Amino acid sequence: MKSVILKSTVAAGALVFASLSGANAVKAEELTLCWAAWDPANALVELSKDFEAKSGHTMKFEFVPWPNFADRMLNELNSGGKLCDLMIGDSQWIGGAAENGQYVKLNDFFAKEGIKMEDFIPATVVGYAEWPKNSPNYWALPAFGDVVGWTYRKDWFARPELQAEFKTKYGRDLAVPKTFAELKDIAQFFQGRDIDGKKVYGAAIYTERGSEGITMGAMDVLYSFGFQYDNPAKPYELEGFVNSPQSVAGLEFYKALYDCCTPPGSSDTYMSENIDAYKSGQVALQMNFAFIWPGIHADANVGGDKSGYFPNPAGPDGKQFAQLGGQGISVVAASSKQDAALEYIKWFAQPEIQNKWWSLGGYSALRSVVEDPGFATSQPYAQTFLDSMAIVKDFWAEPSYASLLQASQKRFHDYVVAGQGTAQEALDGLVKDWTEVFEDEGKL
């Protein structure tokens, strides 16, 4: 890997734990950090060895598979459990965790330690740290920047015979799509095609019903078609925004993409299923969060120059947005080891540690890392990550996030996968569901 070079950080980093040798030293603790079970978590284990060596604390990790992550960790927070000292919680949890007193507010700590939120990618501060949104109230440090993007079989696209056939059919080169309409053409072109003696398919997209999958996938398209969560001038006014004609067109497109261009057995797929479909050579295109790209690049079958990466395309009116993923790291209010947990956050925020985080496969949200002149060329997917993080939107981060998500999961899956009703009926129903949630909360 071509490393990103940060200047004047090593000496500063060496001073971070100098106070531990004096009278103000915090006693050695065993800290438990809770997160999802995925490749970035393994990278964090490796990274954290530096913290253990410098601080004298030891780290334990509780990693839960994504399909069970929210249920397991939200139950832990809601019950006041003592398992986790540090939590890398999903972006949508921040509102509930803040309002329910489950995370430690970090403003005073940040001020004391000189940790500035303007040093992080703005979208990650809003998405992972702030509640209320767009207010200077911080409950987490941006820990892992992530966003939905696309992976494609660059080697298939480059085949002269496929290039010629595609240009004859569509009048343009077989290349990275600039719009969703172009993406669908490409997916249809590859659907059912024989490549190297194997039948392949167009696109792996999110359809999972049980947790958040189909919402993350459908919203990734709906944003670029013009969907809005509510009236920008009147919060929680949903009618005409959630179910606007543009939103309906976006949901109709997502169903059309599912119907025309996905592999058999795609009715309940999320991150891991899409990775498997792509790595096994089944699909030309894969929708997935950016966290997968280091693993794709390193894969023996589809890695290296065989794969390419591109940000979410534009919708019919030129709008271009992408679903925010990623998480912030918080100190759990129920922890009896908050001082040591804060030490970990102080250590993690250092530029030299953030630079190493990127080199190990983590996605740093620190601007000095991602804005370094060498970053964009440090990996084949680095520029796509930057382009994608510049166009992000996120799902509701309300305390009622779980209820809002359950409603969208049902409405989207019933229409897109099960074929029940129309897109208009699905979104009208979602307006009704979400309105009831906000009425119960007293916000309407």
mmCIF file of all heavy atoms in Angstrom, residues 80-125:
data_model
loop_
_atom_site.group_PDB
_atom_site.id
_atom_site.type_symbol
_atom_site.label_atom_id
_atom_site.label_comp_id
_atom_site.label_asym_id
_atom_site.label_seq_id
_atom_site.Cartn_x
_atom_site.Cartn_y
_atom_site.Cartn_z
ATOM 1 N N GLY A 80 -29.387 -0.751 30.597
ATOM 2 C CA GLY A 80 -28.349 -0.245 31.490
ATOM 3 C C GLY A 80 -27.267 -1.269 31.780
ATOM 4 O O GLY A 80 -26.622 -1.223 32.833
ATOM 5 N N GLY A 81 -27.042 -2.170 30.826
ATOM 6 C CA GLY A 81 -26.071 -3.240 31.018
ATOM 7 C C GLY A 81 -24.649 -2.737 31.171
ATOM 8 O O GLY A 81 -24.300 -1.639 30.730
ATOM 9 N N LYS A 82 -23.819 -3.554 31.780
ATOM 10 C CA LYS A 82 -22.435 -3.176 32.098
ATOM 11 C C LYS A 82 -21.426 -3.834 31.159
ATOM 12 O O LYS A 82 -20.222 -3.743 31.401
ATOM 13 C CB LYS A 82 -22.105 -3.593 33.542
ATOM 14 C CG LYS A 82 -23.020 -2.996 34.606
ATOM 15 C CD LYS A 82 -22.777 -1.514 34.784
ATOM 16 C CE LYS A 82 -23.574 -0.955 35.969
ATOM 17 N NZ LYS A 82 -23.343 0.488 36.159
ATOM 18 N N LEU A 83 -21.893 -4.490 30.103
ATOM 19 C CA LEU A 83 -20.964 -5.198 29.230
ATOM 20 C C LEU A 83 -19.999 -4.250 28.535
ATOM 21 O O LEU A 83 -18.795 -4.500 28.484
ATOM 22 C CB LEU A 83 -21.738 -5.993 28.175
ATOM 23 C CG LEU A 83 -20.899 -6.633 27.057
ATOM 24 C CD1 LEU A 83 -19.968 -7.696 27.632
ATOM 25 C CD2 LEU A 83 -21.795 -7.217 25.971
ATOM 26 N N CYS A 84 -20.508 -3.158 27.991
ATOM 27 C CA CYS A 84 -19.730 -2.294 27.102
ATOM 28 C C CYS A 84 -19.270 -1.031 27.832
ATOM 29 O O CYS A 84 -20.083 -0.337 28.449
ATOM 30 C CB CYS A 84 -20.568 -1.886 25.891
ATOM 31 S SG CYS A 84 -21.362 -3.258 25.039
ATOM 32 N N ASP A 85 -17.990 -0.740 27.719
ATOM 33 C CA ASP A 85 -17.469 0.549 28.172
ATOM 34 C C ASP A 85 -17.432 1.541 27.019
ATOM 35 O O ASP A 85 -17.680 2.731 27.207
ATOM 36 C CB ASP A 85 -16.061 0.374 28.746
ATOM 37 C CG ASP A 85 -16.028 -0.630 29.875
ATOM 38 O OD1 ASP A 85 -16.685 -0.375 30.901
ATOM 39 O OD2 ASP A 85 -15.366 -1.685 29.726
ATOM 40 N N LEU A 86 -17.132 1.038 25.855
ATOM 41 C CA LEU A 86 -17.109 1.822 24.628
ATOM 42 C C LEU A 86 -18.051 1.170 23.630
ATOM 43 O O LEU A 86 -18.095 -0.056 23.524
ATOM 44 C CB LEU A 86 -15.698 1.873 24.044
ATOM 45 C CG LEU A 86 -14.669 2.682 24.841
ATOM 46 C CD1 LEU A 86 -13.267 2.151 24.579
ATOM 47 C CD2 LEU A 86 -14.762 4.151 24.472
ATOM 48 N N MET A 87 -18.800 1.986 22.913
ATOM 49 C CA MET A 87 -19.757 1.468 21.942
ATOM 50 C C MET A 87 -19.532 2.169 20.608
ATOM 51 O O MET A 87 -19.540 3.407 20.540
ATOM 52 C CB MET A 87 -21.186 1.726 22.408
ATOM 53 C CG MET A 87 -22.266 1.310 21.420
ATOM 54 S SD MET A 87 -22.599 -0.455 21.464
ATOM 55 C CE MET A 87 -23.544 -0.567 22.986
ATOM 56 N N ILE A 88 -19.303 1.391 19.569
ATOM 57 C CA ILE A 88 -19.339 1.945 18.216
ATOM 58 C C ILE A 88 -20.720 1.621 17.682
ATOM 59 O O ILE A 88 -20.967 0.555 17.112
ATOM 60 C CB ILE A 88 -18.205 1.383 17.339
ATOM 61 C CG1 ILE A 88 -16.842 1.672 17.980
ATOM 62 C CG2 ILE A 88 -18.268 1.994 15.941
ATOM 63 C CD1 ILE A 88 -15.651 1.258 17.147
ATOM 64 N N GLY A 89 -21.639 2.528 17.940
ATOM 65 C CA GLY A 89 -23.044 2.309 17.628
ATOM 66 C C GLY A 89 -23.419 2.895 16.284
ATOM 67 O O GLY A 89 -22.786 3.836 15.798
ATOM 68 N N ASP A 90 -24.450 2.349 15.684
ATOM 69 C CA ASP A 90 -24.854 2.805 14.365
ATOM 70 C C ASP A 90 -25.299 4.262 14.397
ATOM 71 O O ASP A 90 -25.754 4.778 15.427
ATOM 72 C CB ASP A 90 -25.976 1.917 13.823
ATOM 73 C CG ASP A 90 -25.712 1.490 12.387
ATOM 74 O OD1 ASP A 90 -24.763 2.002 11.778
ATOM 75 O OD2 ASP A 90 -26.450 0.629 11.870
ATOM 76 N N SER A 91 -25.185 4.917 13.235
ATOM 77 C CA SER A 91 -25.455 6.358 13.173
ATOM 78 C C SER A 91 -26.884 6.690 13.603
ATOM 79 O O SER A 91 -27.119 7.734 14.223
ATOM 80 C CB SER A 91 -25.198 6.875 11.754
ATOM 81 O OG SER A 91 -25.976 6.186 10.792
ATOM 82 N N GLN A 92 -27.833 5.792 13.306
ATOM 83 C CA GLN A 92 -29.228 6.096 13.614
ATOM 84 C C GLN A 92 -29.544 6.030 15.107
ATOM 85 O O GLN A 92 -30.602 6.478 15.535
ATOM 86 C CB GLN A 92 -30.156 5.130 12.864
ATOM 87 C CG GLN A 92 -30.152 5.312 11.356
ATOM 88 C CD GLN A 92 -29.151 4.402 10.689
ATOM 89 O OE1 GLN A 92 -28.363 3.731 11.347
ATOM 90 N NE2 GLN A 92 -29.147 4.387 9.372
ATOM 91 N N TRP A 93 -28.629 5.480 15.904
ATOM 92 C CA TRP A 93 -28.918 5.330 17.333
ATOM 93 C C TRP A 93 -28.674 6.603 18.133
ATOM 94 O O TRP A 93 -29.063 6.684 19.295
ATOM 95 C CB TRP A 93 -28.032 4.242 17.947
ATOM 96 C CG TRP A 93 -28.088 2.909 17.314
ATOM 97 C CD1 TRP A 93 -28.857 2.508 16.255
ATOM 98 C CD2 TRP A 93 -27.327 1.763 17.700
ATOM 99 N NE1 TRP A 93 -28.610 1.191 15.964
ATOM 100 C CE2 TRP A 93 -27.677 0.705 16.825
ATOM 101 C CE3 TRP A 93 -26.392 1.532 18.706
ATOM 102 C CZ2 TRP A 93 -27.121 -0.564 16.931
ATOM 103 C CZ3 TRP A 93 -25.833 0.265 18.806
ATOM 104 C CH2 TRP A 93 -26.192 -0.762 17.927
ATOM 105 N N ILE A 94 -28.014 7.570 17.541
ATOM 106 C CA ILE A 94 -27.460 8.667 18.329
ATOM 107 C C ILE A 94 -28.550 9.458 19.058
ATOM 108 O O ILE A 94 -28.380 9.866 20.203
ATOM 109 C CB ILE A 94 -26.588 9.587 17.444
ATOM 110 C CG1 ILE A 94 -25.681 10.465 18.306
ATOM 111 C CG2 ILE A 94 -27.396 10.385 16.465
ATOM 112 C CD1 ILE A 94 -24.478 9.762 18.859
ATOM 113 N N GLY A 95 -29.705 9.652 18.402
ATOM 114 C CA GLY A 95 -30.770 10.421 19.035
ATOM 115 C C GLY A 95 -31.304 9.741 20.279
ATOM 116 O O GLY A 95 -31.429 10.363 21.345
ATOM 117 N N GLY A 96 -31.629 8.474 20.160
ATOM 118 C CA GLY A 96 -32.159 7.748 21.306
ATOM 119 C C GLY A 96 -31.152 7.627 22.429
ATOM 120 O O GLY A 96 -31.488 7.793 23.605
ATOM 121 N N ALA A 97 -29.882 7.332 22.075
ATOM 122 C CA ALA A 97 -28.852 7.175 23.108
ATOM 123 C C ALA A 97 -28.593 8.483 23.841
ATOM 124 O O ALA A 97 -28.340 8.490 25.050
ATOM 125 C CB ALA A 97 -27.565 6.651 22.478
ATOM 126 N N ALA A 98 -28.686 9.600 23.135
ATOM 127 C CA ALA A 98 -28.492 10.905 23.769
ATOM 128 C C ALA A 98 -29.668 11.252 24.683
ATOM 129 O O ALA A 98 -29.488 11.610 25.848
ATOM 130 C CB ALA A 98 -28.310 11.977 22.706
ATOM 131 N N GLU A 99 -30.870 11.134 24.150
ATOM 132 C CA GLU A 99 -32.047 11.552 24.919
ATOM 133 C C GLU A 99 -32.330 10.622 26.097
ATOM 134 O O GLU A 99 -32.913 11.054 27.101
ATOM 135 C CB GLU A 99 -33.265 11.647 24.003
ATOM 136 C CG GLU A 99 -33.144 12.772 22.985
ATOM 137 C CD GLU A 99 -34.469 13.157 22.362
ATOM 138 O OE1 GLU A 99 -35.520 12.610 22.781
ATOM 139 O OE2 GLU A 99 -34.460 14.007 21.458
ATOM 140 N N ASN A 100 -31.894 9.372 25.992
ATOM 141 C CA ASN A 100 -32.129 8.418 27.080
ATOM 142 C C ASN A 100 -30.958 8.315 28.049
ATOM 143 O O ASN A 100 -30.966 7.456 28.940
ATOM 144 C CB ASN A 100 -32.439 7.036 26.492
ATOM 145 C CG ASN A 100 -33.736 7.010 25.705
ATOM 146 O OD1 ASN A 100 -34.704 7.676 26.060
ATOM 147 N ND2 ASN A 100 -33.758 6.251 24.608
ATOM 148 N N GLY A 101 -29.966 9.174 27.870
ATOM 149 C CA GLY A 101 -28.846 9.197 28.802
ATOM 150 C C GLY A 101 -27.957 7.974 28.749
ATOM 151 O O GLY A 101 -27.318 7.615 29.745
ATOM 152 N N GLN A 102 -27.857 7.337 27.565
ATOM 153 C CA GLN A 102 -27.093 6.090 27.447
ATOM 154 C C GLN A 102 -25.647 6.322 27.016
ATOM 155 O O GLN A 102 -24.795 5.464 27.220
ATOM 156 C CB GLN A 102 -27.794 5.162 26.464
ATOM 157 C CG GLN A 102 -29.152 4.705 26.974
ATOM 158 C CD GLN A 102 -30.051 4.173 25.883
ATOM 159 O OE1 GLN A 102 -29.794 4.364 24.689
ATOM 160 N NE2 GLN A 102 -31.138 3.503 26.267
ATOM 161 N N TYR A 103 -25.370 7.469 26.413
ATOM 162 C CA TYR A 103 -24.015 7.856 26.049
ATOM 163 C C TYR A 103 -23.580 9.049 26.896
ATOM 164 O O TYR A 103 -24.411 9.890 27.278
ATOM 165 C CB TYR A 103 -23.926 8.269 24.579
ATOM 166 C CG TYR A 103 -24.036 7.168 23.551
ATOM 167 C CD1 TYR A 103 -24.242 7.488 22.209
ATOM 168 C CD2 TYR A 103 -23.902 5.819 23.877
ATOM 169 C CE1 TYR A 103 -24.329 6.507 21.232
ATOM 170 C CE2 TYR A 103 -23.997 4.825 22.910
ATOM 171 C CZ TYR A 103 -24.217 5.180 21.589
ATOM 172 O OH TYR A 103 -24.310 4.205 20.621
ATOM 173 N N VAL A 104 -22.296 9.133 27.153
ATOM 174 C CA VAL A 104 -21.733 10.291 27.860
ATOM 175 C C VAL A 104 -21.599 11.446 26.868
ATOM 176 O O VAL A 104 -21.052 11.275 25.773
ATOM 177 C CB VAL A 104 -20.358 9.931 28.443
ATOM 178 C CG1 VAL A 104 -19.675 11.171 29.030
ATOM 179 C CG2 VAL A 104 -20.499 8.849 29.510
ATOM 180 N N LYS A 105 -22.078 12.618 27.253
ATOM 181 C CA LYS A 105 -21.883 13.794 26.403
ATOM 182 C C LYS A 105 -20.411 14.187 26.446
ATOM 183 O O LYS A 105 -19.804 14.255 27.519
ATOM 184 C CB LYS A 105 -22.763 14.951 26.877
ATOM 185 C CG LYS A 105 -22.797 16.118 25.900
ATOM 186 C CD LYS A 105 -23.800 17.187 26.325
ATOM 187 C CE LYS A 105 -23.869 18.298 25.286
ATOM 188 N NZ LYS A 105 -24.822 19.374 25.676
ATOM 189 N N LEU A 106 -19.837 14.467 25.268
ATOM 190 C CA LEU A 106 -18.396 14.599 25.155
ATOM 191 C C LEU A 106 -17.896 16.032 24.975
ATOM 192 O O LEU A 106 -16.691 16.255 24.823
ATOM 193 C CB LEU A 106 -17.906 13.736 23.979
ATOM 194 C CG LEU A 106 -18.146 12.233 24.119
ATOM 195 C CD1 LEU A 106 -17.718 11.502 22.856
ATOM 196 C CD2 LEU A 106 -17.401 11.674 25.331
ATOM 197 N N ASN A 107 -18.778 17.008 25.017
ATOM 198 C CA ASN A 107 -18.352 18.387 24.760
ATOM 199 C C ASN A 107 -17.225 18.842 25.669
ATOM 200 O O ASN A 107 -16.214 19.392 25.204
ATOM 201 C CB ASN A 107 -19.545 19.339 24.905
ATOM 202 C CG ASN A 107 -20.531 19.209 23.766
ATOM 203 O OD1 ASN A 107 -21.049 18.127 23.504
ATOM 204 N ND2 ASN A 107 -20.810 20.309 23.086
ATOM 205 N N ASP A 108 -17.370 18.672 26.971
ATOM 206 C CA ASP A 108 -16.345 19.136 27.909
ATOM 207 C C ASP A 108 -15.038 18.382 27.695
ATOM 208 O O ASP A 108 -13.950 18.976 27.762
ATOM 209 C CB ASP A 108 -16.827 18.976 29.351
ATOM 210 C CG ASP A 108 -17.962 19.927 29.697
ATOM 211 O OD1 ASP A 108 -18.190 20.892 28.936
ATOM 212 O OD2 ASP A 108 -18.635 19.694 30.724
ATOM 213 N N PHE A 109 -15.139 17.098 27.446
ATOM 214 C CA PHE A 109 -13.948 16.290 27.202
ATOM 215 C C PHE A 109 -13.237 16.752 25.934
ATOM 216 O O PHE A 109 -12.001 16.919 25.918
ATOM 217 C CB PHE A 109 -14.346 14.818 27.090
ATOM 218 C CG PHE A 109 -13.254 13.923 26.586
ATOM 219 C CD1 PHE A 109 -12.168 13.606 27.396
ATOM 220 C CD2 PHE A 109 -13.310 13.399 25.292
ATOM 221 C CE1 PHE A 109 -11.159 12.769 26.924
ATOM 222 C CE2 PHE A 109 -12.309 12.569 24.827
ATOM 223 C CZ PHE A 109 -11.225 12.255 25.638
ATOM 224 N N PHE A 110 -13.978 16.973 24.864
ATOM 225 C CA PHE A 110 -13.369 17.451 23.626
ATOM 226 C C PHE A 110 -12.680 18.792 23.838
ATOM 227 O O PHE A 110 -11.561 19.021 23.354
ATOM 228 C CB PHE A 110 -14.427 17.585 22.523
ATOM 229 C CG PHE A 110 -14.913 16.278 21.947
ATOM 230 C CD1 PHE A 110 -16.063 16.240 21.172
ATOM 231 C CD2 PHE A 110 -14.230 15.089 22.159
ATOM 232 C CE1 PHE A 110 -16.515 15.056 20.619
ATOM 233 C CE2 PHE A 110 -14.674 13.890 21.614
ATOM 234 C CZ PHE A 110 -15.827 13.876 20.839
ATOM 235 N N ALA A 111 -13.342 19.699 24.571
ATOM 236 C CA ALA A 111 -12.754 21.013 24.817
ATOM 237 C C ALA A 111 -11.469 20.895 25.634
ATOM 238 O O ALA A 111 -10.461 21.550 25.334
ATOM 239 C CB ALA A 111 -13.760 21.906 25.523
ATOM 240 N N LYS A 112 -11.479 20.055 26.637
ATOM 241 C CA LYS A 112 -10.316 19.878 27.505
ATOM 242 C C LYS A 112 -9.127 19.298 26.735
ATOM 243 O O LYS A 112 -7.972 19.707 26.947
ATOM 244 C CB LYS A 112 -10.685 18.944 28.663
ATOM 245 C CG LYS A 112 -9.530 18.565 29.598
ATOM 246 C CD LYS A 112 -10.041 17.723 30.743
ATOM 247 C CE LYS A 112 -8.920 17.260 31.653
ATOM 248 N NZ LYS A 112 -8.086 16.214 30.987
ATOM 249 N N GLU A 113 -9.402 18.366 25.834
ATOM 250 C CA GLU A 113 -8.326 17.669 25.134
ATOM 251 C C GLU A 113 -7.985 18.294 23.778
ATOM 252 O O GLU A 113 -7.105 17.794 23.074
ATOM 253 C CB GLU A 113 -8.709 16.192 24.921
ATOM 254 C CG GLU A 113 -8.971 15.428 26.205
ATOM 255 C CD GLU A 113 -7.744 15.357 27.119
ATOM 256 O OE1 GLU A 113 -6.622 15.594 26.614
ATOM 257 O OE2 GLU A 113 -7.906 15.069 28.314
ATOM 258 N N GLY A 114 -8.673 19.358 23.413
ATOM 259 C CA GLY A 114 -8.392 20.013 22.142
ATOM 260 C C GLY A 114 -8.839 19.223 20.926
ATOM 261 O O GLY A 114 -8.282 19.386 19.834
ATOM 262 N N ILE A 115 -9.825 18.368 21.105
ATOM 263 C CA ILE A 115 -10.387 17.600 19.986
ATOM 264 C C ILE A 115 -11.483 18.449 19.344
ATOM 265 O O ILE A 115 -12.474 18.804 20.002
ATOM 266 C CB ILE A 115 -10.948 16.254 20.469
ATOM 267 C CG1 ILE A 115 -9.822 15.396 21.057
ATOM 268 C CG2 ILE A 115 -11.641 15.514 19.325
ATOM 269 C CD1 ILE A 115 -10.287 14.134 21.745
ATOM 270 N N LYS A 116 -11.309 18.788 18.075
ATOM 271 C CA LYS A 116 -12.215 19.712 17.401
ATOM 272 C C LYS A 116 -13.012 18.985 16.328
ATOM 273 O O LYS A 116 -12.440 18.313 15.465
ATOM 274 C CB LYS A 116 -11.412 20.853 16.768
ATOM 275 C CG LYS A 116 -10.608 21.664 17.775
ATOM 276 C CD LYS A 116 -9.741 22.702 17.077
ATOM 277 C CE LYS A 116 -8.912 23.479 18.090
ATOM 278 N NZ LYS A 116 -8.003 24.454 17.426
ATOM 279 N N MET A 117 -14.304 19.174 16.368
ATOM 280 C CA MET A 117 -15.155 18.500 15.405
ATOM 281 C C MET A 117 -14.957 19.031 13.985
ATOM 282 O O MET A 117 -15.218 18.311 13.016
ATOM 283 C CB MET A 117 -16.626 18.611 15.801
ATOM 284 C CG MET A 117 -17.016 17.748 16.984
ATOM 285 S SD MET A 117 -16.842 15.947 16.690
ATOM 286 C CE MET A 117 -15.212 15.630 17.377
ATOM 287 N N GLU A 118 -14.473 20.252 13.847
ATOM 288 C CA GLU A 118 -14.208 20.758 12.500
ATOM 289 C C GLU A 118 -13.027 20.043 11.838
ATOM 290 O O GLU A 118 -12.795 20.198 10.633
ATOM 291 C CB GLU A 118 -13.967 22.266 12.509
ATOM 292 C CG GLU A 118 -12.861 22.731 13.419
ATOM 293 C CD GLU A 118 -13.372 23.218 14.769
ATOM 294 O OE1 GLU A 118 -14.357 22.644 15.279
ATOM 295 O OE2 GLU A 118 -12.783 24.184 15.294
ATOM 296 N N ASP A 119 -12.303 19.234 12.602
ATOM 297 C CA ASP A 119 -11.205 18.448 12.034
ATOM 298 C C ASP A 119 -11.689 17.166 11.374
ATOM 299 O O ASP A 119 -10.880 16.426 10.797
ATOM 300 C CB ASP A 119 -10.182 18.086 13.129
ATOM 301 C CG ASP A 119 -9.425 19.305 13.626
ATOM 302 O OD1 ASP A 119 -9.390 20.327 12.916
ATOM 303 O OD2 ASP A 119 -8.866 19.238 14.744
ATOM 304 N N PHE A 120 -12.996 16.881 11.455
ATOM 305 C CA PHE A 120 -13.555 15.664 10.887
ATOM 306 C C PHE A 120 -14.465 15.998 9.706
ATOM 307 O O PHE A 120 -14.970 17.122 9.593
ATOM 308 C CB PHE A 120 -14.329 14.886 11.950
ATOM 309 C CG PHE A 120 -13.439 14.310 13.025
ATOM 310 C CD1 PHE A 120 -13.024 15.086 14.100
ATOM 311 C CD2 PHE A 120 -12.995 13.000 12.952
ATOM 312 C CE1 PHE A 120 -12.191 14.580 15.078
ATOM 313 C CE2 PHE A 120 -12.150 12.478 13.921
ATOM 314 C CZ PHE A 120 -11.747 13.267 14.988
ATOM 315 N N ILE A 121 -14.657 15.028 8.819
ATOM 316 C CA ILE A 121 -15.545 15.219 7.669
ATOM 317 C C ILE A 121 -16.907 15.692 8.173
ATOM 318 O O ILE A 121 -17.516 15.032 9.015
ATOM 319 C CB ILE A 121 -15.693 13.905 6.885
ATOM 320 C CG1 ILE A 121 -14.340 13.405 6.369
ATOM 321 C CG2 ILE A 121 -16.663 14.075 5.719
ATOM 322 C CD1 ILE A 121 -14.389 11.990 5.792
ATOM 323 N N PRO A 122 -17.403 16.828 7.690
ATOM 324 C CA PRO A 122 -18.648 17.384 8.244
ATOM 325 C C PRO A 122 -19.811 16.406 8.281
ATOM 326 O O PRO A 122 -20.561 16.358 9.263
ATOM 327 C CB PRO A 122 -18.932 18.568 7.314
ATOM 328 C CG PRO A 122 -17.581 18.995 6.830
ATOM 329 C CD PRO A 122 -16.796 17.727 6.686
ATOM 330 N N ALA A 123 -19.994 15.619 7.225
ATOM 331 C CA ALA A 123 -21.123 14.682 7.190
ATOM 332 C C ALA A 123 -21.032 13.654 8.301
ATOM 333 O O ALA A 123 -22.060 13.196 8.823
ATOM 334 C CB ALA A 123 -21.191 13.979 5.836
ATOM 335 N N THR A 124 -19.814 13.277 8.696
ATOM 336 C CA THR A 124 -19.674 12.281 9.760
ATOM 337 C C THR A 124 -19.945 12.890 11.122
ATOM 338 O O THR A 124 -20.397 12.192 12.026
ATOM 339 C CB THR A 124 -18.271 11.639 9.748
ATOM 340 O OG1 THR A 124 -17.273 12.593 10.119
ATOM 341 C CG2 THR A 124 -17.955 11.061 8.388
ATOM 342 N N VAL A 125 -19.670 14.165 11.277
ATOM 343 C CA VAL A 125 -19.977 14.841 12.540
ATOM 344 C C VAL A 125 -21.489 14.904 12.733
ATOM 345 O O VAL A 125 -22.026 14.541 13.784
ATOM 346 C CB VAL A 125 -19.360 16.248 12.578
ATOM 347 C CG1 VAL A 125 -19.772 16.978 13.854
ATOM 348 C CG2 VAL A 125 -17.834 16.161 12.494
#
